Amino acid sequence: MKTGKLMASLVAGVALSGSASVALAQQGYAGISLGQAEVKDFCDGLSGLSGVDCDDTALSGRLYAGGFFDEYLAFEAGYRYIDETSVEASESGVASLGFDASYHMFDSSLLIFTPEFGPVRLFAKAGLQFWRQDMDAQLTLGSDGIKGSEHESGLAFRTGAGATIDFTESFGLRLEWDYLQNVGDDVLDNLESDIHIFSVGPEFRF
């Protein structure tokens, strides 16, 4: 009798464990994040020059969604927009040059999570992204002006790390750092850059 009860308990335990694994494997999540991007090479050689104002930081936002394969491994895809980094140069009020670059990115990544530390889980990620760089320039000479625009696109490696903080089973906060490698036009050194992004935002699970 005792053996029968033990076997029944073991079978029930395995069944519950399997059900939990299936539920976790089917768990999905989605979120939105806001942060600041730094385009590392954008202002190289320009900062400090007389009459030149360069800003290599910009607001960045991302929408993403993903799902877990098991307790520690997940896959996600997202869309990111990085607002304008800019250079402005002027000479004695006669001539001025303005240049802006912004970015659209579609990415996919694998995420590896640690076990839970209370409500906190840490993760690392790596993947690829398709990027598009939009560039606009304006040259002003006295009362005359010339405008131009150009677009570049490509595929780049991405990685990063972060943490999730659970407030409930279906809602949490995500903090992360993203490293985007070799993004931008490779003809001009300043326009092919590594980008660092620190961001935070809510995450929803379903």
Side-chain angles (χ1 to χ4, degrees):
M1 182 65 71
K2 291 182 179 179
T3 303
K5 289 183 178 179
L6 179 59
M7 290 298 294
S9 298
L10 288 174
V11 170
V14 171
L16 289 174
S17 175
S19 298
S21 298
V22 171
L24 184 59
Q26 293 177 341
Q27 185 182 42
Y29 62 89
I32 182 172
S33 64
L34 292 175
Q36 179 170 280
E38 180 183 6
V39 184
K40 294 295 292 183
D41 302 324
F42 189 77
C43 291
D44 281 3
L46 299 176
S47 298
L49 293 179
S50 177
V52 177
D53 183 18
C54 185
D55 184 4
D56 62 1
T57 61
L59 181 67
S60 175
R62 181 172 179 255
L63 297 170
Y64 64 91
F68 282 88
F69 295 114
D70 58 28
E71 186 177 357
Y72 301 108
L73 185 64
F75 172 84
E76 72 178 41
Y79 163 74
R80 180 184 297 281
Y81 175 70
I82 299 178
D83 202 5
E84 295 176 347
T85 52
S86 62
V87 179
E88 294 183 2
S90 60
E91 179 63 33
S92 303
V94 177
S96 64
L97 173 65
F99 178 84
D100 301 316
S102 59
Y103 305 84
H104 299 269
M105 300 175 178
F106 296 91
D107 60 70
S108 60
S109 303
L110 283 174
L111 286 73
I112 300 176
F113 285 80
T114 66
E116 294 181 357
F117 300 100
V120 178
R121 295 189 76 187
L122 307 179
F123 65 86
K125 61 182 177 178
L128 295 174
Q129 64 182 7
F130 174 82
W131 55 264
R132 170 176 162 141
Q133 182 185 55
D134 295 336
M135 298 166 285
D136 297 296
Q138 179 172 347
L139 174 64
T140 301
L141 296 170
S143 59
D144 298 323
I146 301 173
K147 293 183 178 181
S149 62
E150 187 177 352
H151 310 287
E152 294 289 339
S153 60
L155 193 65
F157 175 74
R158 71 189 307 271
T159 186
T164 59
I165 304 172
D166 293 337
F167 297 121
T168 69
E169 290 185 358
S170 59
F171 175 75
L173 186 69
R174 179 160 159 173
L175 305 91
E176 61 188 327
W177 161 73
D178 286 287
Y179 172 61
L180 318 179
Q181 191 176 45
N182 296 333
V183 175
D185 186 354
D186 61 0
V187 175
L188 298 175
D189 289 341
N190 289 52
L191 296 183
E192 182 181 52
S193 302
D194 295 341
I195 302 176
H196 295 269
I197 304 169
F198 294 92
S199 58
V200 61
E203 186 172 278
F204 306 91
R205 302 182 189 98
F206 45 87

